[in-house]
Amino acid sequence: MSASAPPAGPRPSGGPAAASAAPAARPGRRGPSAAIAVGGGALALAAVVLLHLAHGRGGVGLGDLPALIAGDEHVRAVLLGGRLPRTLAGVVAGAAFAVSGALLQSAVRNPLAAPDTLGVTAGGYLAMVAATVTGLSFGDLPRGAIAFLGGLAAAAVVHAVAGGRNDSSHLVLAGVSVSLALSSVSALLVMLFEAETGAVFFWGHGSLAVADTDRSLTALPLLAVGLAGGLLLARGLDILGTGDDTARGLGVPVGRLRAGAVLLSVLLAAGAVAVTGPIGFIGLAAPHIVRLCGVRRHLLLLPAAALWGAGLLLAADLLARVTSPTGNEVPAGVVAALFGAPLFLVLARRLPVEPVAPGTAAPTRRGRRVPLGPVVAGGAILLGVLLAAGLLAGDVAVPPGELVALATGNGGDLARTVVAEYRLPRLLVAALAGAMLAVAGGIVQTVARNPMADLTVMGVSGGAGFGAALVLVALPMVPYAVLPVAAFAGAAAAFATAYGLSRRGGSVAPERLVLVGIGMFALTTAATNYLVTGAQFRTAQALRWLSGSTYARDTTDLLVLGVTTALAAVPLAVALRRIDLLALGEDTPRTLGLPLERTRLWVLALAVALAASAVAMVGTVAFVGLVAPHAARMLTGSRAHRLLPVAGLFGAALMVVADTVGRTVIAPAEIPSGLLAAVIGTPYFAWRLRRDRKG
């Protein structure tokens, strides 16, 4: 199941050695034959199809097949009218996702590549949601073509954000970051246009309950075209696995081959999304199962992956209906992620990582760095202006004169009630939470030496969300004050697990920690979605909290965050020089006498404590810890004593803007500030990374 490094010798170009998507069998051990892989996939698919058709309401099972043949209308309606469309959708979509993942893994030579990890499914889903809510007419253009355009655009964005690099940490982090951004935009559209989107939230997690025979039959030609195209590229993909230089030497047009495989992959993923919605990890797991059986050549790999992918998706749907915690149906995509995320963890843990070059987490331009004093002063002034604007704006407009009067102690009842008791505490909570997330993100980016590393996509926020959701669903009568404690415990457990799984040979490579953290993020997010979508209690509150919200935050929450910030100030000041040393790589800190592993652990633990405290108060907020440190680094450089204060100011400003806009745009209703923070910050993040790569 793990990806193996190539033989010793010159490393082929076009990506690190660790990025090979076709791990070789262990020396001296032969895997099962290709016939067993294909035959086993066919038998497994046949068995799960029968079980899938047999399960359901209506009192009809496989024993009623003779009645179907005899023309029983009730049996015919249940099996052919109700269950067969769902089964057909699972077969078509599962096969399409699996072949799509196999093509992507081979094209970029990355074993962690899949339609969901590289943003393709999220892009296709966003395109379909946007078409639904805007009412744009696409004429005869089918919904699969709309998803194809969205998926293709998302793949292009991921490539641009990753800077064309195929190494696992950069490519997958770029894919996860773009997926988070696109998912946030989709969630925002669903929230703003609830009447137009209907039950799209449930479908957005990937569900066979929305199966439609016509859509499945329409997607069949796409599956056939994608599979046939992949088989035509099979020989070239086999050679590409040996490296770009070798492939070029043998006459393979590497650029055209890779582009063709990616286009076919996006086409297949788009067709599957049009049938079932976005479903993750099928495209990751099915090709690895086939490779584990000893199949390497794509002429057999692609058809076998299609069989296993169809069986895996049907099995996930069957488990979703059988094991729902409350009897409510859980989307198949949630269960697929719940069982697929551990596979990602195993692959990430065993993957030989490419060491990141020592230095800054992102490029900086010498000669253009702004002095720290003016930057801090300007950031503080900007934050003050944004806070004042947030106090005035909202469902109830407050005249500026009332704000001045309140500041001088002469404010009226309106100013005291709306501003002092309601808006000011929540804005200050938003500012502190944003600053803590930004500082934590700056620490992680510097230690991991990766500009896309963040505790949100490394499992900490996901663990906090799972801890809170577990309390809300399993213990609905527990006081709300327990929620932050559960969130903090979940975040700490997620980080401890990720750190422990990342240890190999007595040390933790930052690159592996990032990849394992992504797996933890996927696992905890899937577990949270499983609880929330199947829950009958306080679901709306859970969804609001999981989207990141400062709603109803008061002086008590502000006091908790204030105390946490004060307690963290001293160890953070002590850690500044050590953070700079950790950014220099592995050898230099050891040469200077720094206990590398112990220092890295406690510095990261400090970042986790900051992020977990913020998440416990305002919920899961993505991208503040990504965007704010990156923007600060462009102005101040990478030294921690300059970077972290400015990042904190930028993070606070971003959260204040998100809170103000969120409670103003559709007042008296609110948009969760976490969604808006992602929507506001992500375009800047992608643009800066693209610009830095060009520079």
Side-chain angles (χ1 to χ4, degrees):
M1 193 181 302
S2 64
S4 64
R11 179 171 296 173
S13 64
S20 173
R26 294 181 181 178
R29 298 178 61 183
R30 294 187 61 187
S33 67
I36 293 178
V38 177
L43 290 176
L45 177 59
V48 77
V49 164
L50 291 176
L51 291 174
H52 198 265
L53 287 172
H55 181 78
R57 300 173 184 175
V60 176
L62 292 180
D64 296 302
L65 283 178
L68 173 65
I69 298 174
D72 188 304
E73 291 299 327
H74 174 67
V75 175
R76 179 183 181 86
V78 172
L79 287 179
L80 300 185
R83 297 182 189 172
L84 185 59
R86 187 168 186 150
T87 303
L88 179 61
V91 170
V92 173
F97 278 127
V99 177
S100 174
L103 289 172
L104 265 185
Q105 290 168 14
S106 299
V108 301
R109 297 197 298 118
N110 192 320
L112 300 181
D116 50 301
T117 59
L118 299 190
V120 175
T121 54
Y125 174 58
L126 174 59
M128 296 180 67
V129 171
T132 300
V133 301
T134 57
L136 294 177
S137 174
F138 291 89
D140 296 329
L141 192 65
R143 59 190 297 173
I146 299 172
F148 172 75
L149 295 176
L152 191 62
V157 172
V158 171
H159 178 77
V161 172
R165 297 177 63 177
N166 291 339
D167 60 278
S168 298
S169 60
H170 274 78
L171 188 63
V172 177
L173 260 177
V176 172
S177 300
V178 171
S179 295
L180 269 175
L182 299 179
S183 299
S184 298
V185 177
S186 299
L188 181 61
L189 290 176
V190 170
M191 185 171 296
L192 291 176
F193 301 94
E194 186 175 356
E196 291 83 354
T197 54
V200 75
F201 173 80
F202 189 84
W203 178 80
H205 284 85
S207 173
L208 302 188
V210 297
D212 180 86
T213 303
D214 292 338
R215 284 204 300 267
S216 300
L217 293 177
T218 301
L220 270 177
L222 292 179
L223 175 59
V225 169
L227 183 57
L231 294 176
L232 290 175
L233 300 178
R235 182 177 179 276
L237 292 174
D238 290 340
I239 299 175
L240 185 63
T242 63
D244 288 7
D245 291 341
T246 303
R248 290 191 183 98
L250 294 175
V252 175
V254 172
R256 284 184 292 172
L257 175 66
R258 183 167 283 134
V262 170
L263 284 175
L264 287 174
S265 174
V266 174
L267 178 67
L268 288 166
V273 169
V275 173
T276 63
I279 294 179
F281 292 101
I282 300 297
L284 176 72
H288 279 287
I289 291 175
V290 178
R291 290 192 179 101
L292 192 64
C293 292
V295 176
R296 297 291 182 269
R297 301 191 63 178
H298 287 77
L299 279 175
L300 289 176
L301 172 65
L302 297 180
L307 293 173
W308 283 102
L312 288 175
L313 182 51
L314 287 179
D317 184 61
L318 189 60
L319 285 173
R321 289 187 284 166
V322 171
T323 63
S324 175
T326 62
N328 292 351
E329 182 170 332
V330 177
V334 173
V335 176
L338 194 60
F339 288 94
L343 172 63
F344 188 101
L345 279 171
V346 171
L347 293 172
R349 186 176 187 274
R350 294 185 176 183
L351 192 68
V353 294
E354 179 78 358
V356 178
T360 61
T364 57
R365 300 184 180 186
R366 295 183 179 179
R368 297 182 60 183
R369 194 174 64 181
V370 181
L372 181 62
V375 173
V376 172
I381 293 173
L382 174 63
L383 180 60
V385 172
L386 293 175
L387 283 171
L391 293 175
L392 298 175
D395 54 342
V396 177
V398 176
E402 287 287 332
L403 194 60
V404 175
L406 181 65
T408 58
N410 299 317
D413 293 338
L414 177 63
R416 283 194 298 270
T417 303
V418 176
V419 175
E421 297 179 10
Y422 174 66
R423 291 180 185 170
L424 182 60
R426 67 177 289 173
L427 281 171
L428 292 178
V429 166
L432 279 178
M436 295 168 77
L437 289 170
V439 170
I443 293 173
V444 172
Q445 289 175 16
T446 303
V447 172
R449 302 187 296 281
N450 193 316
M452 288 174 287
D454 175 55
L455 289 170
T456 298
V457 296
M458 288 176 59
V460 172
S461 296
F466 177 70
L470 189 63
V471 169
L472 287 169
V473 174
L475 304 170
M477 303 308 295
V478 169
Y480 183 79
V482 177
L483 196 64
V485 178
F488 192 93
F495 172 75
T497 303
Y499 196 89
L501 290 176
S502 302
R503 291 185 66 87
R504 289 186 60 181
S507 63
V508 175
E511 303 79 25
R512 184 175 292 110
L513 178 61
V514 169
L515 292 175
V516 172
I518 292 174
M520 283 301 302
F521 168 75
L523 180 60
T524 53
T525 301
T528 302
N529 288 332
Y530 182 79
L531 290 175
V532 171
T533 54
Q536 295 175 332
F537 306 104
R538 301 170 75 177
T539 301
Q541 181 182 2
L543 291 176
R544 187 192 308 120
W545 189 87
L546 291 172
S547 298
S549 176
T550 51
Y551 178 77
R553 299 284 82 84
D554 55 21
T555 53
T556 302
D557 302 303
L558 179 60
L559 178 62
V560 171
L561 280 185
V563 171
T564 304
T565 303
L567 292 176
V570 174
L572 183 60
V574 173
L576 291 177
R577 182 175 179 274
R578 292 170 174 81
I579 294 173
D580 289 335
L581 291 176
L582 290 174
L584 298 177
E586 304 291 314
D587 297 332
T588 302
R590 287 194 179 100
T591 303
L592 296 175
L594 187 72
L596 187 63
E597 292 304 319
R598 187 168 68 241
T599 304
R600 181 183 290 146
L601 176 60
W602 81 262
V603 167
L604 288 175
L606 176 61
V608 169
L610 288 171
S613 300
V615 171
M617 289 295 118
V618 300
T620 53
V621 177
F623 288 98
V624 172
L626 278 173
V627 175
H630 198 77
R633 191 176 289 109
M634 296 303 147
L635 290 176
T636 66
S638 59
R639 296 291 299 275
H641 74 280
R642 301 172 58 88
L643 168 67
L644 298 184
V646 178
L649 287 173
F650 284 177
L654 180 57
M655 279 297 291
V656 168
V657 171
D659 177 83
T660 303
V661 175
R663 58 183 168 80
T664 303
V665 173
I666 58 172
E670 289 193 15
I671 301 173
S673 52
L675 293 181
L676 283 175
V679 172
I680 294 170
T682 304
Y684 169 81
F685 176 69
W687 172 73
R688 286 303 316 204
L689 282 184
R690 176 64 175 170
R691 182 178 176 182
D692 292 336
R693 188 180 76 88
K694 288 183 177 180

